[in-house]
Amino acid sequence: MDGRKLILGIESSCDETAAAVVADGTHVLSNVIASQHDLHAEYRGVVPEIASRAHAERILPVVRRAIDKAGISLQQVNAVAVGNRPGLIGSLLVGVSAAKALAWSLNVPVVGVDHIQAHLYAGLLDGAGEADAVKGAYPALGLVVSGGHTSLFQCHSPLRANVIGRTIDDAVGEAYDKVATILNVPYPGGPNLDRLARQGNAAAYDLPISRLSPDSLDFSFSGLKTAVLYAVQGVPDSGRRKESAPAQSGIDLNDDAARADVAASFQRAAVGAITLKVDRALERPEAAGVRTLLVGGGVSANSLLREELNRIGQQHGIEVRLPRMDLCLDNAAMIAGLAYHLLEAGRWTGDALSLSASPSSR
Ligand code: KG4
Ligand code: ZN
């Protein structure tokens, strides 16, 4: 008899169909992610109806692969966890329906998990190891940077986090995706723009870092996005080129070096806006006992952001938990990991048939 608590996680909130098996809340035994990037590439963004249809086709093969890769049988699963909020409702419903059916047929609990809270837990999977290491991570400052969210949290435990700052307009991932479109960078925009930025000169354009009021922990990315548009299209007074070339001329999108310079300057400003607020949050008196910076969401895969957050962690003498690359983007291991704590705390619905999905966080 296997003494470990094995949780099957399912995630289908946006454009990744994912399933994973996690033992005892931290050990990732398998983490299968079927990306739909190829299906949405020609539209340069996620088309909800296409996403839900693809989830429906892929969900069972993905679950089967996660079980096989974990080296267990479906009957060994102690609970089924599913991301049931927030997200695209049609996509969420595919994962929720699959999870309910599996849990009902196996006669095990089904646990609904908040996707954003799960992103905050991703850095504690695997590397952190044992349950004690998870406990030892709190109190923590949490940062979620994704396509739909850019928020700072005060985290007391895996299940208790208060928002202390959030974006007042675009999410940082959304800004990456929009700037990628402006610069003709192929979908998916975020990782490709990150790669292009590494080849450019980050000091070429003086793009704005939003500060908001002096003690604000909120974020804003719409001004930066507009400044990039002006730098590319050539409207004067925004995105001024520091060197001799006049801003009015904009850039030639066939000139790869010029595109890389804009990408690098954007990346410097976008990452600078995040690190500024993380720094501010850590300097507040409320942050005195903070031991860890927990980071999650697709943009935590960003090369410059990872470097900068590690630097801030060293400066403040706190540990920085950046998820390994396959746990930054939407994945089901973070869902299964967090579900372990919900089960331990007795915080799950109890009845497989009553679990529902919601487009927003409750
Ligand atoms: O967490 P995630 O997979 O989905 C949401 O919950 O939104 O995050 C996806 C976002 C997209 O906007 C994508 O462009 C961005 O994360 N992203 C990146 C990088 N990798 C993914 N942005 C910047 N640099 C990256 N390396
Ligand atoms: Zn996400």
Side-chain angles (χ1 to χ4, degrees):
M1 188 60 193
D2 197 330
R4 301 172 299 175
K5 187 142 203 157
L6 299 174
I7 301 184
L8 167 67
I10 292 178
E11 153 65 34
S12 67
S13 65
C14 190
D15 61 341
E16 330 276 359
T17 316
V21 177
V22 174
D24 297 330
T26 54
H27 301 290
V28 181
L29 303 186
S30 64
N31 185 37
V32 176
I33 302 173
S35 158
Q36 300 178 6
H37 286 165
D38 50 336
L39 299 180
H40 303 286
E42 70 173 289
Y43 307 101
R44 305 194 78 118
V46 178
V47 182
E49 188 54 39
I50 294 175
S52 4
R53 188 180 290 237
H55 285 307
E57 283 164 6
R58 295 167 185 203
I59 192 86
L60 291 179
V62 164
V63 166
R64 169 56 55 207
R65 239 186 310 145
I67 293 290
D68 290 348
K69 278 194 163 178
I72 63 164
S73 72
L74 201 48
Q75 283 66 32
Q76 283 175 276
V77 164
N78 299 111
V80 181
V82 60
N84 71 333
R85 63 190 191 279
L88 300 171
I89 192 69
S91 292
L92 287 167
L93 280 171
V94 175
V96 168
S97 307
K100 283 162 81 166
L102 279 166
W104 182 77
S105 68
L106 294 168
N107 197 24
V108 296
V110 62
V111 186
V113 175
D114 184 297
H115 177 92
I116 301 304
Q117 217 170 23
H119 270 309
L120 282 174
Y121 186 75
L124 293 172
L125 291 165
D126 257 5
E130 309 308 322
D132 281 353
V134 171
K135 271 201 207 108
Y138 297 91
L141 178 70
L143 171 69
V144 173
V145 277
S146 73
H149 294 82
T150 308
S151 307
L152 278 168
F153 299 83
Q154 198 162 1
C155 305
H156 309 280
S157 75
L159 304 181
R160 207 154 71 82
N162 311 324
V163 180
I164 54 171
R166 54 157 51 106
T167 181
I168 58 169
D169 41 54
D170 292 349
V172 62
E174 199 180 344
Y176 262 90
D177 296 334
K178 286 177 178 164
V179 167
T181 304
I182 295 171
L183 285 175
N184 259 346
V185 170
Y187 186 87
N192 286 329
L193 193 60
D194 184 7
R195 231 164 285 137
L196 181 65
R198 300 308 283 192
Q199 297 156 28
N201 170 12
Y205 292 87
D206 194 9
L207 298 174
I209 292 179
S210 74
R211 290 179 161 72
L212 302 176
S213 60
D215 56 352
S216 171
L217 296 179
D218 289 338
F219 302 89
S220 167
F221 293 98
S222 67
L224 172 58
K225 186 187 62 191
T226 308
V228 169
L229 189 67
Y230 286 165
V232 171
Q233 290 185 347
V235 175
D237 294 329
S238 287
R240 280 181 303 268
R241 195 147 175 101
K242 275 185 173 167
E243 294 116 68
S244 51
Q248 289 90 327
S249 60
I251 67 158
D252 174 4
L253 284 173
N254 294 314
D255 179 348
D256 287 343
R259 285 166 71 237
D261 282 353
V262 177
S265 303
F266 163 75
Q267 174 137 295
R268 185 177 77 151
V271 169
I274 296 169
T275 53
L276 175 83
K277 300 300 162 74
V278 169
D279 229 3
R280 258 185 205 174
L282 288 171
E283 271 158 18
R284 296 189 329 158
E286 297 91 312
V290 161
R291 295 179 175 171
T292 316
L293 174 62
L294 298 173
V295 192
V299 186
S300 60
N302 185 269
S303 59
L304 182 64
L305 183 64
R306 292 176 84 88
E307 283 169 27
E308 289 294 301
L309 291 177
N310 277 325
R311 183 184 57 72
I312 290 181
Q314 270 178 0
Q315 241 170 32
H316 289 268
I318 61 167
E319 203 171 337
V320 180
R321 292 234 177 260
L322 287 158
R324 63 178 210 217
M325 285 308 211
D326 63 329
L327 299 174
C328 290
L329 296 167
D330 289 348
N331 67 85
M334 65 183 192
I335 302 289
L338 191 60
Y340 173 86
H341 297 277
L342 285 164
L343 279 164
E344 291 285 290
R347 282 174 49 187
W348 52 288
T349 52
D351 165 15
L353 299 182
S354 67
L355 184 70
S356 58
S358 164
S360 58
S361 269
R362 241 187 295 138

